[in-house]
Amino acid sequence: MAHQLLTIEVSRPDADHVRLRLTGELDYETAPELVAAAADLRGGQQVTIDLSRVGLCDSSGLSALLIVRRVAGSIRLTGVSRQVQQLLDRTGLTELLSVQTAVDDDLRATG
């Protein structure tokens, strides 16, 4: 099976807010791409990372998210899938990162 690439769409709604929309897999092979994107960030910016199109996240992906947090000061994760939420819970990172779960997962849980 071919490895799914990671694409990172960067938008800047205003001078103090950066939105990163990730699509693909956030793993050992692709995590350095997120780290490279973080090099353009500066402290004090509001950084939102949309994970709604991320199919897989492993420990290397979590590590990259922590690097982005360290560079930016804080981040907000949106569109977090059930798999990523479980990974964040198991590692204790839910306490450290601002997390919003995926709307689809919330609807399935209640419906």
Side-chain angles (χ1 to χ4, degrees):
M1 180 190 287
H3 188 269
Q4 185 177 2
L5 299 176
L6 179 71
T7 59
I8 303 170
E9 178 185 327
V10 179
S11 61
R12 299 180 189 280
D14 59 55
D16 295 325
H17 185 202
V18 176
R19 179 171 288 132
L20 305 175
R21 184 172 191 171
L22 281 54
T23 302
E25 297 180 352
L26 185 55
D27 61 11
Y28 178 78
E29 292 183 28
T30 61
E33 296 172 40
L34 181 56
V35 172
D40 293 334
L41 301 176
R42 67 179 193 283
Q45 288 180 310
Q46 179 185 354
V47 178
T48 301
I49 301 177
D50 179 355
L51 299 173
S52 61
R53 294 184 176 186
V54 170
L56 170 81
C57 181
D58 69 7
S59 61
S60 297
L62 291 181
S63 213
L65 291 171
L66 290 173
I67 291 169
V68 174
R69 181 186 178 275
R70 185 177 65 216
V71 170
S74 68
I75 61 173
R76 181 172 160 242
L77 304 178
T78 63
V80 175
S81 69
R82 182 167 289 142
Q83 180 264 338
V84 174
Q85 184 64 56
Q86 289 174 345
L87 191 58
L88 292 168
D89 291 343
R90 287 182 186 144
T91 58
L93 293 177
T94 303
E95 302 297 320
L96 189 61
L97 303 171
S98 174
V99 179
Q100 178 182 339
T101 59
V103 173
D104 291 342
D105 284 345
D106 292 342
L107 290 176
R108 271 185 247 141
T110 60

